[in-house]
Amino acid sequence: MPDSNFIDYVKIFCASGHGGAGSMHLHRAKYVPKGGPDGGDGGRGGHIILKANPQFWTLIHLKYRKHVKADDGEPGGGALRHGKNGADIVLDVPVGTVVKDAESGEVLFELVDPLQTQVLCKGGRGGLGNNNFKSATLQTPRFAQSGEEGMEGWFILELKLLADVGLVGFPNAGKSTLLSTITSAKPKIASYAFTTLEPNLGIVRYYDDQSFVMADIPGIIEGAHEGRGIGTRFLRHIERNSVLLFMVSSLEENILASYKTLLKELELYNPELLVKERVLAVTKCDLIDKDIEKDIKKHLPKGIPSVFISSHSQEGLKELKDLLWEALNK
């Protein structure tokens, strides 16, 4: 996807600054030939800090910034002068960013709240000057601490979109068309598979100025959890959704089997996804007659709210909004 601005995965090398060395200095003045120790402490090395910025929705600004290095702290000086701290580097990332250790794959932390900050690499502490080591038995210490080394390593930043409702379905199930119909989003729509190559977000207006966010996730195919099709690249975005709207075309030979296939792919990717609220929408109902619709209803999964919709004729969209709003407020 070379022409896309939506980047949800980057790998970067980060290194915080080293702490400055403490000063080994003895006070000297015209009439004080043997003054005591007055070496100041070294400054702290700069931190690497991540900040969740709600105005960012992609990691593209970090795609070509592979190495991030903070400044070292400055050494201490005589007359108890403290070394200057190294400047911190603050990297803005979208809300919903997950940070992993690139070597072990361990999740270090997640930034899920707007303006939330987290230190990724802590700067090294500055060394203590010799003034800190004087005592009754050691009045003229002639040593000081060196600064502490900073932290460094490779890290993976992954974005998981924050949305209330995630659209789950095979390619050409009508997900993008629905999003463009009930929101102001303008996703790419065409009659071939994998038209959607990146998630799209839209705001669905409800009654009394209420609204919720809907995410169009690229189509899933059987074997997606193993990397087939677009694979697991976008399945992680579903993890952040509160409600999953399964969309199956009314032209499918076996709608129940298609629904179970989608459900199985989610389970194989992450069993916790099955705990989320689910709604089933049978799409493109303007292409079938009412007798076929009645027959399909008999074979729909039990216990899951379902609705027949047509983005083209607007049929069932009000009922769909009601079902989604009810699921969101459970």
Side-chain angles (χ1 to χ4, degrees):
M1 195 165 52
D3 298 328
S4 173
N5 288 329
F6 183 81
I7 303 297
D8 59 355
Y9 177 100
V10 294
K11 183 178 180 180
I12 59 175
F13 178 84
C14 293
S16 58
H18 302 316
S23 172
M24 199 296 294
H25 190 270
L26 301 176
H27 179 68
R28 291 293 182 264
K30 187 173 182 180
Y31 300 107
V32 189
K34 293 185 178 181
D38 67 348
D41 302 339
R44 169 184 61 77
H47 297 323
I48 306 291
I49 301 172
L50 298 186
K51 179 181 179 181
N53 189 332
Q55 296 184 352
F56 282 66
W57 70 285
T58 174
L59 295 167
I60 191 171
H61 60 294
L62 298 176
K63 181 179 180 181
Y64 302 106
R65 190 177 180 181
K66 293 298 185 183
H67 293 80
V68 181
K69 174 72 170 71
D71 293 337
D72 295 336
E74 295 184 357
L80 300 179
R81 291 192 299 269
H82 193 291
K84 184 180 178 180
N85 291 339
D88 297 335
I89 293 181
V90 180
L91 301 177
D92 288 309
V93 296
V95 178
T97 298
V98 180
V99 182
K100 298 180 180 179
D101 182 281
E103 186 175 343
S104 65
E106 176 190 1
V107 175
L108 303 178
F109 56 86
E110 302 182 21
L111 298 170
V112 294
D113 298 316
L115 304 182
Q116 178 185 350
T117 60
Q118 181 76 39
V119 175
L120 177 60
C121 291
K122 190 175 181 180
R125 290 179 298 179
L128 297 177
N130 63 343
N131 178 67
N132 293 276
F133 301 103
K134 65 183 180 181
S135 66
T137 57
L138 184 61
Q139 297 183 4
T140 312
R142 298 180 182 273
F143 58 88
Q145 277 185 338
S146 57
E148 187 180 65
E149 292 188 357
M151 298 173 57
E152 65 178 38
W154 285 93
F155 301 93
I156 291 173
L157 306 185
E158 288 183 350
L159 174 60
K160 295 180 182 179
L161 289 180
L162 293 170
D164 299 306
V165 178
L167 305 184
V168 180
F170 295 118
N172 287 339
K175 302 185 297 300
S176 297
T177 305
L178 175 66
L179 189 73
S180 67
T181 302
I182 64 176
T183 77
S184 58
K186 301 299 179 186
K188 182 179 179 182
I189 300 172
S191 59
Y192 54 86
F194 298 117
T195 306
T196 302
L197 294 177
E198 60 187 58
N200 293 289
L201 294 177
I203 298 176
V204 180
R205 303 294 178 186
Y206 199 60
Y207 303 113
D208 301 324
D209 295 325
Q210 302 281 358
S211 63
F212 55 89
V213 178
M214 179 177 283
D216 172 20
I217 309 298
I220 297 173
I221 66 171
E222 190 169 3
H225 71 282
E226 298 175 336
R228 292 188 60 197
I230 302 182
T232 61
R233 178 174 181 179
F234 294 113
L235 281 174
R236 64 173 173 271
H237 293 298
I238 300 174
E239 296 180 55
R240 293 268 193 241
N241 304 149
S242 301
V243 175
L244 300 181
L245 173 58
F246 287 78
M247 299 182 65
V248 181
S249 170
S250 60
L251 304 180
E252 292 277 350
E253 290 187 11
N254 190 328
I255 291 178
L256 180 59
S258 297
Y259 168 77
K260 289 183 177 180
T261 299
L262 292 170
L263 203 61
K264 189 65 176 178
E265 288 302 318
L266 297 190
E267 181 183 16
L268 292 172
Y269 173 72
N270 183 355
E272 294 181 6
L273 293 175
L274 301 190
V275 180
K276 296 180 181 292
E277 292 291 327
R278 283 174 254 156
V279 174
L280 173 63
V282 180
T283 65
K284 305 180 181 180
C285 68
D286 57 304
L287 301 179
I288 60 174
D289 57 37
K290 292 302 177 183
D291 290 335
I292 296 178
E293 187 174 309
K294 289 180 181 178
D295 185 61
I296 291 176
K297 282 183 180 179
K298 300 176 184 177
H299 303 92
L300 293 181
K302 307 299 181 183
I304 302 297
S306 59
V307 58
F308 285 78
I309 66 169
S310 168
S311 299
H312 178 70
S313 66
Q314 310 280 306
E315 181 181 344
L317 297 188
K318 178 182 177 298
E319 184 181 352
L320 174 63
K321 289 183 182 180
D322 292 339
L323 288 177
L324 293 175
W325 187 255
E326 181 180 347
L328 284 169
N329 287 278
K330 276 191 178 181

